Amino acid sequence: MAAGGPQTRRLREAGGYGRCAGPAAYRNSCAVEGELLHAYVSTGRTGEIDRLRGLAADRWADAFCLADDDAGPGLSPREQQRAVAAFLEAYFPVPSPYEKSRPIG
């Protein structure tokens, strides 16, 4: 894979909430060690947003984070919204039963 491709993390290395809950869950037999392929895409950068097509087509990631930032030169907030909406429509083509219907037009 190209730079910025799949990354692997172990459960015990997960950040944030995982750092506190992970060891306790593992110790209490509520969790197991494993690997997770994940993607991080900074939607404010043109080079990063281009990765969404590959992510939707190959579906290699078990999880992904779409960071809505404006770091560096790249897309305007409106362009980011369009790109992310197109990605999510492609990745999740069937609405869940919990989604509201979209207005037409």
Side-chain angles (χ1 to χ4, degrees):
M1 285 249 155
Q7 300 173 5
T8 304
R9 290 180 75 140
R10 299 184 83 60
L11 174 65
R12 66 174 177 256
E13 296 172 357
Y17 182 74
R19 287 191 183 194
C20 297
Y26 186 75
R27 194 172 42 251
N28 295 320
S29 300
C30 296
V32 296
E33 284 191 48
E35 294 185 351
L36 174 72
L37 293 175
H38 70 281
Y40 178 91
V41 178
S42 173
T43 63
R45 300 177 186 203
T46 306
E48 289 276 304
I49 205 81
D50 291 340
R51 294 176 47 216
L52 292 178
R53 273 187 232 104
L55 182 58
D58 300 337
R59 294 180 170 262
W60 57 264
D62 297 312
F64 55 85
C65 174
L66 304 179
D68 58 341
D69 59 27
D70 57 2
L75 304 172
S76 70
R78 177 168 277 193
E79 291 171 315
Q80 288 182 54
Q81 193 276 333
R82 285 187 192 135
V84 169
F87 165 73
L88 292 174
E89 289 288 331
Y91 203 88
F92 302 109
V94 178
S96 81
Y98 307 103
E99 292 182 64
K100 293 181 179 180
S101 61
R102 285 189 220 125
I104 298 174

